Amino acid sequence: MCEVICIANQKGGVGKTTTAVNLAASLAVEEKKVLLVDVDPQANATTSLGFHRNSIEFNIYHVLIGTKKISQIIQKTSIPTLYLAPSNIGLVGIEKEFYSQKRNGRELILKKKIEDVMDVYDYVIIDSPPALGPLTINALSAAHSVIIPIQCEFFALEGLAQLLNTIKLLRKEINPTLEIKGLLPTMYSAQNNLSRQVYADLLQHFNGQLIKEDDSKDAIAIPRNIKLAESPSFGKPVILYDVRSQGNIAYQSLARAILEKRA
Ligand SMILES: Nc1ncnc2c1ncn2[C@@H]1O[C@H](COP(=O)(O)OP(=O)(O)O)[C@@H](O)[C@H]1O
Ligand SMILES: [Mg+2]
């Protein structure tokens, strides 16, 4: 059974792409067959895996408008069981296309495309753009579950209520079984007072919603780690860039938590 996990937060710069790329890579290294679907027109997940955005002829835009099948755009990556459905800046044009569709069903376009390859993959990880627009709505509608990265900074929880409300509405109208896999504190720095305070607030108010590898362990927080910031410029997930870095260790434990939940 394939599990589709969307990484979402309408705020930019909170660690969505970093989480999507490194969770996908960590699951793939655990010998799961993983498809990373980039639906952000900024295509950061695509470039993070070493693809130059304009060197790929067809991308998720062509899938969403129906001129290509998803299987026709999927790229191999440097991890044998990790595959990428790339994005491109041209994807910004999709919103207009979506709104010209008849009202019913336009939220489910991505879901239908992913269904074509669901029997091939163990996990599909979707990286979504920093907005609650049609692409993110399509990503959440296609998903079994969602991970919400929360940056351990001032204004961390800003927008969270709106996102949770959108998820509630989607459950009511489009995707009744959408599960919140968890909130994921990102860029946590134990030396920084504010960062510690945000993490403490999350523990206090959302304890049940944080992700744990198992009940004996602390909730997973992704540390602020330079290797995570550097690895995209080498076109590699952090596991291939610095396997011993704290950033990699954290994403591997996130992957194990996800695997554990399904076992
Ligand atoms: N845990 C981390 N430690 C250090 N830098 C990080 C970490 N997570 C993300 N970054 C960096 O912060 C920036 C924003 O992260 P990104 O994953 O692109 O966010 P989003 O996709 O939500 O916009 C990027 O430059 C990224 O490399
Ligand atoms: Mg991003």
Side-chain angles (χ1 to χ4, degrees):
M1 245 275 285
C2 175
E3 182 172 358
V4 181
I5 305 173
C6 174
I7 316 297
N9 185 330
Q10 73 274 34
K11 286 176 75 166
V14 298
K16 285 184 294 299
T17 299
T18 306
T19 298
V21 167
N22 292 302
L23 173 60
S26 294
L27 287 168
V29 167
E30 299 280 343
E31 292 182 358
K32 298 297 172 190
K33 202 166 174 190
V34 183
L35 176 64
L36 175 61
V37 180
D38 188 355
V39 298
D40 184 353
Q42 291 177 50
N44 291 339
T46 301
T47 39
S48 294
L49 287 179
F51 294 90
H52 293 282
R53 33 194 125 197
N54 294 324
S55 67
I56 304 173
E57 197 177 358
F58 298 108
N59 59 70
I60 196 75
Y61 172 79
H62 301 99
V63 175
L64 292 172
I65 63 168
T67 57
K68 289 284 161 194
K69 292 190 182 145
I70 192 162
S71 59
Q72 293 176 300
I73 67 149
I74 290 173
Q75 305 282 327
K76 290 183 175 169
T77 73
S78 42
I79 297 175
T81 53
L82 176 62
Y83 295 80
L84 171 74
S87 180
N88 177 277
I89 188 68
L91 185 59
V92 289
I94 201 70
E95 306 216 347
K96 210 174 82 222
E97 305 276 344
F98 275 166
Y99 284 115
S100 68
Q101 310 270 335
K102 62 179 186 323
R103 208 188 131 60
N104 273 346
R106 70 184 175 206
E107 297 87 357
L108 292 168
I109 298 171
L110 180 63
K111 180 185 168 83
K112 296 223 176 72
K113 305 301 178 182
I114 288 175
E115 272 167 4
D116 289 345
V117 291
M118 285 239 294
D119 55 344
V120 183
Y121 296 96
D122 298 306
Y123 288 93
V124 174
I125 309 292
I126 310 176
D127 186 25
S128 65
L132 276 178
L135 285 166
T136 299
I137 297 299
N138 261 264
L140 288 168
S141 302
H144 297 111
S145 62
V146 52
I147 293 175
I148 305 172
I150 305 280
Q151 188 184 1
C152 294
E153 295 284 351
F154 199 49
F155 293 135
L157 300 181
E158 184 195 53
L160 181 60
Q162 193 192 4
L163 177 57
L164 295 176
N165 200 38
T166 302
I167 290 170
K168 209 157 112 190
L169 283 174
L170 278 174
R171 277 201 197 115
K172 217 185 271 170
E173 289 170 9
I174 295 166
N175 188 2
T177 56
L178 176 61
E179 174 208 349
I180 297 177
K181 183 80 75 187
L183 308 185
L184 179 68
T186 59
M187 300 183 230
Y188 174 69
S189 166
Q191 294 83 42
N192 179 302
N193 284 339
L194 180 58
S195 193
R196 277 207 314 274
Q197 185 60 49
V198 172
Y199 184 60
D201 286 352
L202 284 171
L203 279 179
Q204 192 183 341
H205 298 293
F206 294 95
N207 194 13
Q209 306 230 52
L210 300 181
I211 304 170
K212 292 181 180 168
E213 224 181 286
D214 62 60
D215 286 337
S216 69
K217 300 230 169 90
D218 288 339
I220 295 172
I222 308 298
R224 183 173 281 285
N225 177 249
I226 185 74
K227 303 295 178 184
L228 287 171
E230 287 172 356
S231 58
S233 61
F234 293 90
K236 289 178 179 176
V238 73
I239 200 166
L240 297 185
Y241 177 63
D242 187 345
V243 69
R244 287 194 229 174
S245 62
Q246 291 304 314
N248 181 55
I249 289 166
Y251 277 113
Q252 283 199 279
S253 94
L254 176 64
R256 280 194 302 272
I258 304 287
L259 292 167
E260 194 64 33
K261 273 204 182 173
R262 208 162 84 171

